[in-house]
Amino acid sequence: YREPSNEKPGQSQIEWALLLALKNAIVQGAFTVDAEEVRLVCQEKGVFDRRTFYTTFRRHGEYFRSAPEPNGRAQPLSSKGLAALGALIKTLADGERMQAVG
């Protein structure tokens, strides 16, 4: 399968947030993003930057109804976030900007 590239940590963080929202939609029935869940995945993938983690969410705040916060509630994707998720899925399927895994 393919994953977001880890060349740009901020971009990877947002891409992982979008993919986790998709997972949550499948499992829980809602396109929501939990900052702690994103942080754990970013740490696992080697793209976590403590200094800019929450700043990145605020910088891309248009993707969420409200930017995810530390120990905050999971935030639903906005219409722009859903559109970005669709574009990301297409990019992953096309294999652009991606690294093959497994």
Side-chain angles (χ1 to χ4, degrees), residues 4-101:
S5 169
N6 59 6
E7 293 175 14
K8 297 180 180 178
Q11 179 178 335
S12 293
Q13 172 188 326
I14 294 301
E15 290 176 355
W16 280 113
L18 294 172
L19 290 174
L20 288 168
L22 175 60
K23 180 195 93 163
N24 289 335
I26 294 167
V27 174
Q28 301 170 0
F31 288 93
T32 58
V33 176
D34 178 85
E36 181 63 16
E37 185 179 22
V38 176
R39 184 183 66 78
L40 290 172
V41 169
C42 288
Q43 285 177 325
E44 177 184 319
K45 302 299 180 180
V47 294
F48 178 70
D49 183 346
R50 179 187 318 230
R51 294 176 299 126
T52 63
F53 187 71
Y54 289 101
T55 302
T56 299
F57 279 130
R58 287 190 291 280
R59 190 176 28 215
H60 293 87
E62 72 274 8
Y63 290 168
F64 313 99
R65 294 239 176 101
S66 183
E69 295 289 334
N71 302 313
R73 296 181 133 195
Q75 294 298 317
L77 292 184
S78 67
S79 57
K80 285 187 178 184
L82 290 169
L85 173 59
L88 175 60
I89 291 168
K90 183 177 181 333
T91 298
L92 292 174
D94 291 343
E96 299 170 7
R97 273 188 25 240
M98 301 298 310
Q99 61 186 30
V101 177

